[in-house]
Amino acid sequence: MQKRLGSLELFPLFDGTFRLDGGAMFGVVPKPLWERRAPADDRNRIALAMRPLLVRGEQTMVIDAGAGDKLDAKNVEIYAIDRTIDLAHSLAAAGLEAADIDIVLASHLHFDHAGGFTRRDEAGRRVPVFPRARYVARTAEYEDATHPHERNRASYIAENYVPLREAGVLDLMPDDGIVMPGVRVVRTGGHTMHHQMVMIESEGRTAVFAADLIPTCAHIDTPWIMGYDLYPMDTLAFKRAFIREAIEREYLVFFEHDPRVAAGYIREEQGRRHVEAVLHS
C-alpha cells in the first residue's frame, strides 16, 4: 500500500489500534451525530489506528511512530491497545528495518505519536528505536512536553523523547521549515500549542500528513474538533482555512488515526464534505 507523489514514495505504516472516549474525540458534537460516523463500544470508546508515514526521497523518513511497546498493562487495557501488527511489521512490508531510517519527524510528542521513538534495551535503559536516525521535533513542543501541567500530563511521557536528547540524536527546529527536500513542517497549533502538520511536495503535487488537526475522516467538518485539543479556537481557525485550501488544491491528506482510510482527497458537493479514499487499511 504505497503512493507515488512525483519523485517521492509515500507508504502508510501501522503501529496497531487503540480506543479513546468518543465524546472526547468529538468535543461539543452530540453523540447521536458522531456515533453515525464512529460507533462506540460499551465503554463509549471508538476505534482508532496509529498510522505513521514513511517518505522515501533523497533520504528515508518516518513521520511519527505510534505508541510503541513501553506502556504498562494498565494503560494497554485503558486504551485497548492492540499491536499484533506493529511498526516493525509494516516497515518490513516496505522492505525496510529500523536501521534504514535516516530521519524521524514528530508532529508533536503525545504518547500515541512518540511512544515508538524509544524502546527498553536488555538492561532496561530507554534507547532510540531507529539507531541511525536523527530525530526532529519542534523546539517549543519539546519544552512543553518536558514541562507538562495537569491538563496534558497524561499525554506527555518523558521516556519517549528525553532519552533522544541524552543520546545526542534530537534536533530541535524553532520554526516552520524544510526537514528534507520535499518535506516541510507547518505549525497548526490547536491540539497542542506547537502541534505541526507535514507538507510533502514534489513535481507540483502535494500531500499532507495532518496528524491531529484532522485525526480521522469523521473530523473533516470544520467544527468537529477534539475535546483533547488544548486550544480549540486555534484548531478551528487553522482548520477552516486549511480544509478550503485542501479541497481547492486537491491535496492528498493522510489521516493518522482513521481505522479504515489511510489517505484520501477531501471533496465538497452542495455544501457536504466527504473523503474520496485512495489508500485503505
Side-chain angles (χ1 to χ4, degrees):
M1 184 176 66
Q2 60 192 37
K3 181 73 175 177
R4 295 292 306 188
L5 189 86
S7 63
L8 301 175
E9 183 179 36
L10 311 181
F11 196 114
L13 301 175
F14 190 71
D15 196 48
T17 61
F18 69 125
R19 288 181 175 267
L20 292 176
D21 182 83
M25 281 299 295
F26 293 103
V28 300
V29 179
K31 184 175 182 179
L33 296 182
W34 63 253
E35 197 169 29
R36 297 174 191 171
R37 304 184 186 183
D41 66 12
D42 59 0
R43 294 168 64 174
N44 207 50
R45 302 175 302 180
I46 65 168
L48 300 165
M50 292 177 282
R51 299 184 189 279
L53 181 64
L54 173 69
V55 183
R56 281 173 165 161
E58 291 188 16
Q59 295 173 288
T60 301
M61 169 188 287
V62 168
I63 306 171
D64 288 349
D69 62 1
K70 300 188 305 298
L71 289 174
D72 59 26
K74 178 181 178 181
N75 280 293
V76 168
E77 194 278 332
I78 288 172
Y79 298 115
I81 293 174
D82 182 351
R83 298 180 68 251
T84 304
I85 300 175
D86 63 14
L87 191 59
H89 291 111
S90 58
L91 277 173
L96 298 172
E97 56 186 30
D100 296 316
I101 306 304
D102 301 305
I103 302 171
V104 180
L105 173 62
S107 65
H108 62 301
L109 294 171
H110 283 174
F111 77 89
D112 52 319
H113 300 256
F117 289 174
T118 64
R119 62 177 178 84
R120 293 188 183 93
D121 67 10
E122 295 79 3
R125 297 169 299 187
R126 280 62 167 173
V127 298
V129 166
F130 302 92
R132 291 182 47 258
R134 301 298 303 182
Y135 288 74
V136 180
R138 204 170 187 96
T139 305
E141 173 70 10
Y142 184 83
E143 290 303 310
D144 284 352
T146 51
H147 298 84
H149 51 68
E150 294 86 348
R151 181 74 165 77
N152 64 13
R153 187 168 292 128
S155 296
Y156 284 134
I157 302 174
E159 66 177 358
N160 293 333
Y161 39 82
V162 170
L164 303 175
R165 195 162 200 183
E166 294 171 345
V169 299
L170 180 63
D171 297 327
L172 297 176
M173 290 183 62
D175 298 300
D176 295 350
I178 295 170
V179 181
M180 79 176 199
V183 180
R184 61 187 175 93
V185 291
V186 175
R187 177 185 171 274
T188 71
H191 184 59
T192 70
M193 178 62 76
H194 303 284
H195 176 279
Q196 59 190 8
M197 66 183 186
V198 185
M199 306 290 290
I200 304 163
E201 299 156 322
S202 181
E203 299 179 9
R205 301 174 63 193
T206 300
V208 181
F209 187 81
D212 278 345
L213 177 70
I214 313 172
T216 78
C217 294
H219 291 84
I220 59 172
D221 289 313
T222 305
W224 289 53
I225 292 169
M226 290 188 287
Y228 293 113
D229 284 16
L230 297 178
Y231 307 94
M233 297 310 295
D234 292 349
T235 302
L236 180 68
F238 193 97
K239 187 178 175 183
R240 181 190 293 123
F242 169 73
I243 290 185
R244 178 55 49 201
E245 183 178 309
I247 292 169
E248 292 175 354
R249 299 186 183 181
E250 294 204 324
Y251 292 162
L252 177 63
V253 179
F254 284 81
F255 301 99
E256 188 166 9
H257 289 314
D258 196 278
R260 291 170 295 277
V261 176
Y265 296 97
I266 303 174
R267 307 296 192 192
E268 187 170 59
E269 299 172 5
Q270 298 180 337
R272 297 177 65 88
R273 292 176 184 167
H274 69 279
V275 172
E276 178 187 324
V278 173
L279 298 174
H280 295 82
S281 296

